[in-house]
Amino acid sequence: MAGECILVVDDEARYVRLVRFNLEAAGYRVVCAATGQEALAALAHRAPDLVVLDIMLPDIDGFEVCQRIREVSTVPIIMLTAKGADEDKVKGLRLGADDYVTKPFSAQELMARVDAVLRRMRLADVPEKQTSYTRGELRVDFLARRVTLREREVRLSPTEYRLLQCLAVNAGRVVTQDDLLEKVWGPGYRGEHELLRVSIWRLRQKLGEDVNKPRYIVTVPGVGYLMDKEA
């Protein structure tokens, strides 16, 4: 843990106190915002390493804040959603959130999610022998952590990049859903198939995939996902 700066966006004082206390106790630096506008201003001036973002805010909601962050930044985002609001989880992930935590949550649960997201950001896994992957107009440069499509760079969040990298280094082999969840998100995420499904959907959108005839990421029903070998 390297003392990263975390922006906490929530107007409920009890959650802010809980989150701030535990993050600071773990050595993180914490910036708080009670509204969407305050959050966007803090993002511009403080450049946080992670955003913990509640959906229900008094001005603009967390969905709009997430969307506006994604227009300018790939900073990881953890959404705070209400219990039972599965549609909010899906919407947040589709807008670019990396993960979610359901209210009410325990400090341990939130810390585990924060640590997992930041761990993915720090890791720069490079395959020992393979330095890149190319398929048609798509190229993944593992050394530079750079993805290009038709020679134009595709901006991916750290989680999206690790997901694509995991599929690319295993090109020609089916990677199961739980294996992907464990390799990309961590051991505690096995079974979070909705998280993976929406993340694959977003990655496909960024790669310009036709949902009916995907060129790069193929679904193997009931098993997992596959990328073809280099061509």
Side-chain angles (χ1 to χ4, degrees), residues 149-150 201 203-219:
L149 182 66
R150 292 185 288 275
W201 177 88
L203 184 55
R204 281 171 167 161
Q205 293 287 306
K206 290 194 173 184
L207 298 179
E209 291 269 53
D210 181 338
V211 293
N212 297 313
K213 295 181 179 179
R215 296 178 57 195
Y216 304 118
I217 303 173
V218 177
T219 301

Side-chain angles (χ1 to χ4, degrees), residues 79-153:
M79 300 287 286
L80 302 181
T81 66
K83 185 177 181 180
D86 291 340
E87 66 278 5
D88 287 348
K89 298 174 185 177
V90 172
K91 184 174 181 179
L93 292 169
R94 288 197 168 197
L95 288 172
D98 295 80
D99 203 348
Y100 56 81
V101 176
T102 302
K103 286 184 171 182
F105 53 81
S106 67
Q108 292 83 357
E109 180 186 6
L110 178 65
M111 292 303 299
R113 297 279 176 159
V114 167
D115 289 342
V117 170
L118 289 174
R119 192 183 311 118
R120 294 198 295 272
M121 223 177 89
R122 296 183 205 117
L123 292 175
D125 298 339
V126 176
E128 292 183 6
K129 298 179 181 179
Q130 188 178 357
T131 60
S132 66
Y133 168 87
T134 303
R135 176 72 182 174
E137 299 170 312
L138 173 67
R139 177 177 171 80
V140 185
D141 185 331
F142 300 129
L143 297 176
R145 293 175 61 89
R146 187 169 183 264
V147 179
T148 54
L149 182 66
R150 292 185 288 275
E151 300 184 354
R152 298 186 63 178
E153 186 167 2

Side-chain angles (χ1 to χ4, degrees), residues 2-85:
E4 289 97 332
C5 177
I6 300 178
L7 172 60
V8 178
V9 188
D10 198 327
D11 66 331
E12 291 190 68
R14 62 192 178 108
Y15 279 110
V16 173
R17 285 195 299 269
L18 171 69
V19 173
R20 182 167 203 157
F21 175 83
N22 284 279
L23 290 175
E24 290 183 339
Y28 293 110
R29 293 176 290 119
V30 180
V31 176
C32 297
T35 69
Q37 294 294 350
E38 287 180 11
L40 294 172
L43 182 80
H45 292 100
R46 303 300 292 270
D49 298 291
L50 170 68
V51 179
V52 177
L53 175 62
D54 189 31
I55 291 175
M56 300 300 292
L57 297 171
D59 52 353
I60 55 178
D61 65 30
F63 296 128
E64 184 175 344
V65 175
C66 180
Q67 187 171 23
R68 288 169 67 173
I69 289 175
R70 279 292 167 261
E71 290 172 359
V72 298
S73 174
T74 59
V75 62
I77 299 171
I78 297 177
M79 300 287 286
L80 302 181
T81 66
K83 185 177 181 180

Side-chain angles (χ1 to χ4, degrees), residues 99 112-113 116-117 120 178 181 185-192 195:
D99 203 348
R113 297 279 176 159
V117 170
R120 294 198 295 272
D178 281 337
L181 284 161
W185 281 268
Y189 286 80
R190 294 182 73 87
E192 294 269 8
L195 171 63

